[in-house]
Amino acid sequence: MITVATAECFTHANIGLTIHKASSGYENFEYKYLFSDEDLRLIKNVKVLVSMFVPSIYGAEKLLDVKLPEPDYNYKYAKAYSEEKDLEVAKLMANSLKKKLNANICIGTTAGIGRGAICIVTDYNIYLFTSDVYANLLTFENVKERQKSGIEKGIKKFLEILKKEYF
């Protein structure tokens, strides 16, 4: 069994939840259109250990035993970084989750101002990328569009990596 764990912010744990639904054989779920028949067969070999929504620095630091940088912007209790720092933080979150749970594949996501960041850490490689949509958490401009782009791109990249590295 290939194990997966996620610590997600702007994607609201939807990458991990979607992987869980697909691997558990759910008939209908929101992002099922991203999975080919082959993907649905392969993903039966995947087990999600945890899929967390982690919007706060405090939560991420305590749950993942990691020190995150100071936010670039003040935004309520959540973390709000520039795109450059989002890339750094997503990688810190995914790497920390990998160290803590030793899952085969760990995913971290976070987004403030910019396209946000997604990091996938496997037993073999680290993949760091952004969504395709610029958004501003402070004004809520394009936030839902960025979230959807991040979820879709994260799932597609996960499936590519799964096939390339594990099958």
Side-chain angles (χ1 to χ4, degrees):
M1 246 335 165
I2 298 154
T3 55
V4 175
T6 75
E8 302 176 55
C9 182
F10 83 106
T11 51
H12 289 198
N14 278 296
I15 295 171
L17 289 173
T18 300
I19 293 166
H20 167 72
K21 288 175 182 177
S23 68
S24 297
Y26 282 49
E27 287 299 316
N28 292 306
F29 52 94
E30 187 174 1
Y31 295 99
K32 189 171 184 178
Y33 60 89
L34 297 172
F35 294 82
S36 69
D37 288 341
E38 177 193 6
D39 295 335
L40 290 170
R41 276 192 306 280
L42 294 177
I43 208 160
K44 299 281 189 233
N45 298 298
V46 171
K47 174 172 64 174
V48 176
L49 300 178
V50 66
S51 178
M52 297 181 281
F53 170 50
V54 189
S56 72
I57 291 173
Y58 179 81
E61 288 181 338
K62 294 297 180 187
L63 289 168
L64 303 174
D65 294 325
V66 65
K67 177 70 179 140
L68 298 182
E70 288 298 313
D72 294 318
Y73 308 96
N74 290 325
Y75 176 73
K76 300 179 184 179
Y77 64 87
K79 52 190 170 358
Y81 296 106
S82 63
E83 187 174 309
E84 181 180 326
K85 269 202 195 154
D86 277 331
L87 289 161
E88 176 187 342
V89 169
K91 187 175 178 182
L92 283 169
M93 289 171 66
N95 275 325
S96 296
L97 194 55
K98 183 91 169 105
K99 286 178 192 161
K100 193 155 188 77
L101 294 179
N102 198 31
N104 299 110
I105 303 171
C106 291
I107 302 171
T109 76
T110 191
I113 311 287
R115 294 173 294 172
I118 303 160
C119 183
I120 301 176
V121 176
T122 72
D123 294 322
Y124 313 105
N125 292 296
I126 296 174
Y127 302 87
L128 190 58
F129 53 99
T130 67
S131 82
D132 294 328
V133 176
Y134 175 91
N136 184 332
L137 179 63
L138 306 180
T139 64
F140 296 105
E141 170 197 5
N142 295 328
V143 170
K144 285 188 174 202
E145 295 85 354
R146 174 177 65 190
Q147 181 185 51
K148 184 175 186 208
S149 172
I151 293 165
E152 290 177 344
K153 198 167 180 182
I155 292 167
K156 287 177 189 175
K157 189 73 168 171
F158 167 80
L159 291 169
E160 283 175 29
I161 293 165
L162 186 66
K163 287 185 250 187
K164 175 181 163 187
E165 294 189 12
Y166 295 94
F167 293 103

